[in-house]
Amino acid sequence: MKLRIALPLLSIFAFFTILAYTADDDPFTALLKKLEVYNEKNPQEKVHLHLDKPYYAIGDDIWFKAYIINAQTSKPSDLSGILYVELINEKDSLKKQVRLPVIAGLTWGDFKLPDTLSEGNYRIRAYTQWMRNMGTEFFFDKTIKIGNSWANSVFTNTNYSFSKQNQTEKIDAKIRFSDKDGNPYVQKDVSYEVELNFRNQAKGKATTNEQGEINISFLNTQPSIYKSGKIVTTIYLPENKKVIKNIPVKATSNAVDVQFFPESGNLVENLPNKIGIKATNASGLGEDITGTVVDNDGTEINTFGTQHLGMGSLIVNPQPGKVYTAKVKFKDGSEKTINLPKSLPSGYILTTNNSSDNLTAKVLLSENLVGTSELKLVAQHNGNVYFVSKTSSSKQIFITNIPKKDLPSGIIQLTLFSGDNTPLCERLVFIKNPDDNIKTSISSSKTTYQRKEKVDIDIQAAVADKPVQGSFSVSVTNTASVKPDEENETNIFTSLLLTSDIVGYVEKPNYYFLNSDSKTQQDLDNLLLTQGWRRFIWKNVINDLAPIIRYQPEKALKISGILTTYGGKPVPKGKISLFSSSGGFFATDTLTDEQGRFSFEPMSFNDSTKFIVQARNAKDKKHVDIKLDVTDGQIITKSKNNGDIEINVNEALSGYLRKSSSFFDELTKRGLLEKTITLKEVSIVEKKDVVKNSSNLSRNADAVITAEQLQNCTTISQCLMGRVAGLIFRNGIPYLMRNGNTPMHITLDGMQIEPETLDNINVTDVEGIEVLKSIGNTAIYGSNGGGGVLVITTKRGGGFSSASTFVPGIITYSPKGYSIPRQFYSPKYDVPNSATDSRTTIYWAPHISTNESGKGQFSFYNSNESGTYRVVVEGIDMAGNLARSVYTYEVK
């Protein structure tokens, strides 16, 4: 017997029954059981990254810790064992990707930002393979600003103005060019191209004036299609130097989009309807508006105004035969008339009140629906049912109260069903339950410290006044250079409780967690009223339509595939051998099953590891085909975070960049940091041919045999015989005459192979062969190069595929392995040290554990920059309780 008891109900209009369901044939019971089965087939994950700071300078490191939880249980996820974290540029192009092992829902890593990277608005995206089944809407996706002062000589500041010419939008851009110190580039030639949605719209040339400015005007003839883009400018400086700048065009007009969202879905005649309002400008940010609602007779029904980030609400009681419009007034004084959604003659409304200790749900129904059907109310969170009730529809209104202490923190989906289990309407609410959170106290021995002084921090973690063990990440920054924007912060609460369940851009997500006053509660309710989203649709649950599962959870790295004949028939009992000499020799083997499939798992290897997969059939014959399982990469979708894009990145980060530049310069002087130096252009008169995709470590060769020279021979030894002085063959094995009996070291696409397998290589697959004889070219190979080196590159080696076939029964494979997290460098000043220390991130630790008493500790040293230092601690325990706390102290 399976028993579920709904929470106690209070009602003054109707009698509610407590639902206890068993294995009977009740249709509603069957529906709830279908929901459970649906969730079992469709578990989900959420990802949050704790970043060390909200913006970065080129030359910096991005340190992050990842928290992955099961969306149903809110506990650390045990589904996936691998996390993908990506750095994506403004062109929606992947710049870096790391693959990290996940243990108990936790992992950490970093990105190093080279000085060859251009400044701009970048995205950090994180997901698991399992999450790909649910769509990119629920990935962790955050826009960060990356500035450049260290390796940058040109700074830009751009201002836009917009106007209308009939149906065409005119954009005027004023761009100022200056150096690092703010001095304008005067009388410099500039060429430019305007791209909207990656299509060229205009181009031209200009010369900067005395203020270093140019003015660009262009038209957008198709504003419904082209809404954003960029201006690519090239400024020409002395000594034939030219600098290219990409300047975002966030919007092409001042247009404001206004939408009206009836609570629980539809307007219903003769019932009071709450309507959510959402006003967004062309840059993706909320825009405050005011207005009035009038009927078709011109009678004013109500007035309205948004109260936070372009969101608000109003009440309308639609009457039969009436049509309603909203007269909207914008801040520039202009007005616009918008039709409200059409009202239905009959229906249901589900409205809520979330301002007290109880969540109050009120159901209103049209008079003609009274007594027609039994009604059922379900409250669920991530597919888990927390509340169920039944009532007759004998009254036109009924109310129920649900104690919020019995509901989990996060988005609760309330659904009203009819007697035949048809969903009638829905409403989302947000619950803040303090019992779900880890109360984290941060303390230090004093509140004021000296520069370079040691700081000892204590953490005390408890849930419901009971100490808990958990894993916490810590970042310490100096707010004098890393200025926090508290309302716009992305943290463990905003990611895992709010934005991961809402499709679209959420502006200033942390605003909703800073306070719990009535205004904040109302603003949060308006957010869900307008941007509310659900992870599943009841129609799919009723019809047993679970999402299509294309990607299975990855528990660990593996190399798998299928062995077939050249005709495609599976080869059972075939022997598969796996070799690698990257970072030491590794070898293992296995047999294929009856379907010809094989798998090496679990495995653990780092990036840049190369493997050789060798196969033979049951009769030890090599004429077989190896097909490895390769998961297709995740496409990069357009960013949803248009509101976070900064047009003038370097200027917005100017204070931080100055501090970072001083820090990098000091490290460079001490030889701890290398800087890319751009050399003057030189003309190369003669260039030696190199082999495309070569893995030659020395980058030089004593002889190069190209693919064209290999056309008229059948084996490699035959091709090389007599072509290279001093190179001889004995039984197909290459030697250099001066090295006696030491065979040559052979690499094939970067992988070492045995000399006796040389003639097994198909000559037509070879792009080129490099012969290394002299000590200057072989020294980099160490003892392996004592007999000389043959570097063989196939036509597919190192190309677009990570697996390359070059001989029957053998392929090379370079899968993406784990990225090894680096350790954050934190200096120690146990003895007096006069070195300049201008660090902006003072300390970063991804894994601070609390013990059985809920206590944890960590220590670090301040830099020699004064200011207010900010300590941010985030974490999770094994029960899925979340923690976040901020602590500050002064350094003088």
Side-chain angles (χ1 to χ4, degrees):
M1 174 178 175
K2 188 167 188 178
L3 178 67
R4 175 166 295 171
I5 300 178
L7 303 175
L9 305 174
L10 299 175
S11 176
I12 59 175
F13 292 100
F15 174 75
F16 285 81
T17 60
I18 294 178
L19 176 68
Y21 64 86
T22 59
D24 54 26
D25 295 325
D26 175 69
F28 192 54
T29 300
L31 174 64
L32 296 179
K33 288 182 178 179
K34 282 187 175 183
L35 176 61
E36 292 182 350
V37 173
Y38 180 93
N39 286 330
E40 289 175 0
K41 296 179 180 178
N42 182 32
Q44 298 143 353
E45 293 176 323
K46 299 181 183 180
V47 174
H48 165 67
L49 298 188
H50 179 198
L51 305 177
D52 62 317
K53 53 180 175 281
Y55 44 79
Y56 304 85
I58 289 168
D60 263 352
D61 297 325
I62 300 178
W63 305 90
F64 57 84
K65 180 176 182 179
Y67 300 89
I68 307 178
I69 67 170
N70 186 305
Q72 290 175 236
T73 63
S74 295
K75 295 181 180 180
S77 180
D78 58 356
L79 284 175
S80 297
I82 298 176
L83 176 72
Y84 296 80
V85 186
E86 299 169 338
L87 184 66
I88 302 169
N89 68 7
E90 291 176 321
K91 299 178 182 178
D92 292 330
S93 176
L94 182 66
K95 299 302 295 182
K96 291 189 175 185
Q97 184 192 71
V98 294
R99 199 178 187 189
L100 301 169
V102 178
I103 300 176
L106 304 174
T107 188
W108 50 85
D110 59 87
F111 289 120
K112 186 172 183 63
L113 305 180
D115 64 348
T116 53
L117 204 67
S118 60
E119 75 270 9
N121 298 274
Y122 288 74
R123 294 159 57 194
I124 292 184
R125 186 173 75 168
Y127 57 91
T128 63
Q129 288 291 339
W130 181 249
M131 290 176 67
R132 295 177 65 183
N133 296 305
M134 321 313 167
T136 59
E137 295 91 348
F138 302 111
F139 288 5
F140 178 90
D141 198 325
K142 178 175 175 58
T143 295
I144 61 172
K145 295 181 282 290
I146 297 178
N148 190 347
S149 64
W150 188 44
N152 184 26
S153 58
V154 177
F155 287 68
T156 60
N157 178 273
T158 306
N159 291 299
Y160 293 102
S161 59
F162 310 101
S163 58
K164 272 274 193 181
Q165 295 183 355
N166 297 323
Q167 299 301 314
T168 300
E169 296 173 342
K170 183 183 179 184
I171 301 95
D172 295 297
K174 179 185 289 185
I175 307 173
R176 183 177 186 270
F177 297 86
S178 62
D179 62 17
K180 185 186 301 187
D181 300 320
N183 301 314
Y185 284 108
V186 180
Q187 296 299 310
K188 296 294 184 292
D189 292 332
V190 179
S191 60
Y192 63 86
E193 290 187 6
V194 178
E195 296 180 9
L196 296 179
N197 288 37
F198 301 102
R199 293 195 63 177
N200 290 330
Q201 298 291 319
K203 63 180 179 179
K205 295 181 180 180
T207 302
T208 59
N209 60 20
E210 296 301 317
Q211 289 75 43
E213 299 171 342
I214 65 170
N215 293 291
I216 298 174
S217 296
F218 58 94
L219 298 176
N220 181 11
T221 58
Q222 294 179 284
S224 61
I225 300 176
Y226 305 126
K227 299 180 181 297
S228 61
K230 64 180 178 179
I231 301 175
V232 182
T233 64
T234 303
I235 183 169
Y236 298 88
L237 302 179
E239 298 182 350
N240 295 324
K241 182 179 180 181
K242 57 183 180 181
V243 177
I244 299 174
K245 292 292 177 179
N246 293 296
I247 303 168
V249 179
K250 289 183 64 174
T252 59
S253 72
N254 289 319
V256 177
D257 178 63
V258 181
Q259 293 179 284
F260 295 90
F261 299 87
E263 185 175 31
S264 69
N266 296 293
L267 296 180
V268 181
E269 293 178 357
N270 291 317
L271 294 178
N273 294 249
K274 179 185 281 190
I275 304 175
I277 309 168
K278 177 79 173 180
T280 308
N281 63 27
S283 295
L285 300 175
E287 191 84 24
D288 285 330
I289 59 172
T290 58
T292 59
V293 174
V294 298
D295 62 17
N296 49 343
D297 296 327
T299 304
E300 183 177 306
I301 304 301
N302 204 345
T303 61
F304 62 86
T306 55
Q307 62 188 47
H308 178 69
L309 301 177
M311 291 180 289
S313 61
L314 76 155
I315 300 292
V316 173
N317 192 334
Q319 297 302 306
K322 296 291 185 178
V323 177
Y324 298 90
T325 58
K327 294 184 177 180
V328 180
K329 187 173 183 179
F330 303 105
K331 65 180 181 181
D332 63 359
S334 62
E335 296 185 354
K336 184 178 182 181
T337 299
I338 301 173
N339 293 327
L340 292 187
K342 186 177 180 180
S343 56
L344 301 179
S346 177
Y348 301 83
I349 292 177
L350 173 59
T351 186
T352 61
N353 187 329
N354 193 16
S355 59
S356 64
D357 292 336
N358 292 327
L359 170 62
T360 301
K362 180 191 296 185
V363 176
L364 308 173
L365 55 155
S366 298
E367 187 174 358
N368 65 312
L369 296 175
V370 174
T372 59
S373 172
E374 182 183 50
L375 298 177
K376 305 149 190 177
L377 184 66
V378 174
Q380 63 86 23
H381 171 76
N382 289 328
N384 293 316
V385 176
Y386 285 84
F387 173 85
V388 179
S389 68
K390 290 183 179 181
T391 183
S392 65
S393 57
S394 58
K395 303 285 186 179
Q396 197 173 356
I397 180 173
F398 64 85
I399 300 174
T400 182
N401 293 311
I402 309 171
K404 290 197 286 189
K405 64 181 179 63
D406 296 322
L407 297 175
S409 292
I411 294 177
I412 302 294
Q413 179 177 329
L414 296 171
T415 308
L416 182 69
F417 290 89
S418 66
D420 60 357
N421 299 328
T422 301
L424 301 173
C425 54
E426 290 187 335
R427 179 69 156 89
L428 301 187
V429 295
F430 191 90
I431 298 297
K432 293 181 180 179
N433 190 339
D435 292 339
D436 282 351
N437 300 334
I438 303 174
K439 184 179 180 181
T440 310
S441 301
I442 306 173
S443 61
S444 59
S445 58
K446 48 187 179 179
T447 58
T448 303
Y449 289 84
Q450 299 298 313
R451 292 178 292 178
K452 293 188 176 181
E453 185 178 355
K454 185 180 181 182
V455 180
D456 296 312
I457 298 289
D458 294 317
I459 300 176
Q460 180 67 53
V463 175
D465 296 326
K466 295 181 179 179
V468 295
Q469 291 180 280
S471 175
F472 300 85
S473 53
V474 176
S475 64
V476 182
T477 55
N478 184 351
T479 59
S481 51
V482 181
K483 298 185 182 300
D485 182 2
E486 285 195 314
E487 289 190 354
N488 201 37
E489 284 182 328
T490 297
N491 57 56
I492 197 167
F493 291 137
T494 65
S495 290
L496 297 182
L497 299 182
L498 181 62
T499 58
S500 60
D501 281 321
I502 295 180
V503 169
Y505 170 68
V506 178
E507 187 178 353
K508 298 185 182 300
N510 198 40
Y511 162 81
Y512 304 104
F513 294 86
L514 293 176
N515 297 296
S516 296
D517 55 32
S518 58
K519 182 182 184 308
T520 305
Q521 290 274 11
Q522 182 61 51
D523 294 340
L524 178 55
D525 195 59
N526 287 334
L527 173 69
L528 296 184
L529 193 60
T530 55
Q531 284 186 243
W533 183 255
R534 53 197 178 189
R535 280 184 174 269
F536 65 88
I537 300 173
W538 280 107
K539 181 179 179 181
N540 293 341
V541 175
I542 294 171
N543 296 324
D544 296 323
L545 298 177
I548 298 174
I549 302 301
R550 295 182 57 196
Y551 305 98
Q552 296 300 321
E554 289 182 303
K555 297 297 184 181
L557 298 177
K558 69 176 182 179
I559 296 176
S560 62
I562 186 171
L563 185 65
T564 66
T565 64
Y566 287 151
K569 184 178 180 181
V571 177
K573 305 301 180 182
K575 182 179 179 181
I576 308 291
S577 300
L578 184 67
F579 307 93
S580 176
S581 58
S582 301
F585 184 75
F586 164 83
T588 187
D589 56 46
T590 188
L591 296 178
T592 61
D593 61 18
E594 294 301 321
Q595 288 73 43
R597 294 203 55 82
F598 64 90
S599 179
F600 297 96
E601 60 178 317
M603 298 187 68
S604 180
F605 50 85
N606 301 328
D607 264 349
S608 303
T609 302
K610 295 186 177 182
F611 294 93
I612 291 180
V613 183
Q614 178 178 285
R616 298 289 186 269
N617 61 22
K619 298 181 179 180
D620 204 32
K621 301 296 183 180
K622 63 184 179 182
H623 294 285
V624 289
D625 190 15
I626 307 170
K627 297 179 182 178
L628 294 178
D629 297 329
V630 179
T631 303
D632 57 303
Q634 174 62 46
I635 62 171
I636 299 176
T637 53
K638 188 174 179 60
S639 174
K640 67 178 181 181
N641 304 318
N642 191 50
D644 284 336
I645 293 176
E646 176 62 52
I647 296 173
N648 303 303
V649 171
N650 279 338
E651 183 164 301
L653 305 182
S654 57
Y656 172 70
L657 292 177
R658 281 193 292 271
K659 293 286 186 181
S660 295
S661 182
S662 300
F663 179 53
F664 295 148
D665 288 342
E666 179 64 25
L667 292 179
T668 305
K669 291 176 184 177
R670 293 160 58 185
L672 300 177
L673 201 62
E674 294 182 357
K675 187 173 182 178
T676 301
I677 300 174
T678 303
L679 301 176
K680 292 183 179 180
E681 183 178 339
V682 296
S683 298
I684 300 175
V685 179
E686 185 177 354
K687 182 180 178 182
K688 183 178 180 180
D689 291 334
V690 295
V691 179
K692 183 181 179 181
N693 301 321
S694 171
S695 60
N696 185 352
L697 299 179
S698 73
R699 304 300 180 189
N700 294 300
D702 296 289
V704 177
I705 312 299
T706 64
E708 290 77 10
Q709 297 171 292
L710 301 174
Q711 292 179 352
N712 300 317
C713 48
T714 57
T715 64
I716 296 294
S717 60
Q718 180 185 3
C719 294
L720 296 180
M721 189 74 70
R723 287 186 181 269
V724 181
L727 175 62
I728 61 173
F729 287 85
R730 302 173 189 162
N731 297 322
I733 298 176
Y735 294 86
L736 291 178
M737 294 178 62
R738 60 179 175 82
N739 292 325
N741 294 322
T742 303
M744 297 185 73
H745 177 76
I746 304 175
T747 67
L748 184 64
D749 294 335
M751 293 293 300
Q752 178 183 350
I753 65 172
E754 296 300 322
E756 56 267 20
T757 65
L758 179 64
D759 281 342
N760 290 333
I761 300 173
N762 190 342
V763 176
T764 59
D765 287 340
V766 176
E767 179 72 30
I769 303 172
E770 296 162 274
V771 183
L772 282 56
K773 300 190 297 181
S774 61
I775 187 65
N777 291 335
T778 62
I780 195 170
Y781 289 89
S783 59
N784 287 332
V789 180
L790 282 183
V791 180
I792 304 174
T793 305
T794 68
K795 292 177 180 177
R796 288 161 291 179
F800 297 105
S801 175
S802 59
S804 303
T805 302
F806 47 84
V807 293
I810 298 179
I811 63 171
T812 60
Y813 185 42
S814 300
K816 189 166 187 63
Y818 290 137
S819 297
I820 301 177
R822 293 175 297 150
Q823 185 173 0
F824 181 85
Y825 171 69
S826 182
K828 295 183 178 181
Y829 297 120
D830 295 328
V831 295
N833 190 321
S834 61
T836 302
D837 183 356
S838 303
R839 286 173 293 144
T840 53
T841 300
I842 309 303
Y843 182 71
W844 164 256
H847 186 51
I848 303 293
S849 299
T850 53
N851 58 23
E852 295 86 350
S853 301
K855 295 181 179 180
Q857 293 180 326
F858 59 94
S859 302
F860 56 90
Y861 287 82
N862 297 322
S863 71
N864 64 345
E865 298 284 334
S866 59
T868 300
Y869 283 34
R870 186 172 188 249
V871 183
V872 179
V873 175
E874 292 188 357
I876 191 172
D877 64 10
M878 292 307 296
N881 299 306
L882 306 179
R884 186 175 193 268
S885 188
V886 178
Y887 176 77
T888 60
Y889 64 89
E890 295 294 326
V891 174
K892 297 183 177 180

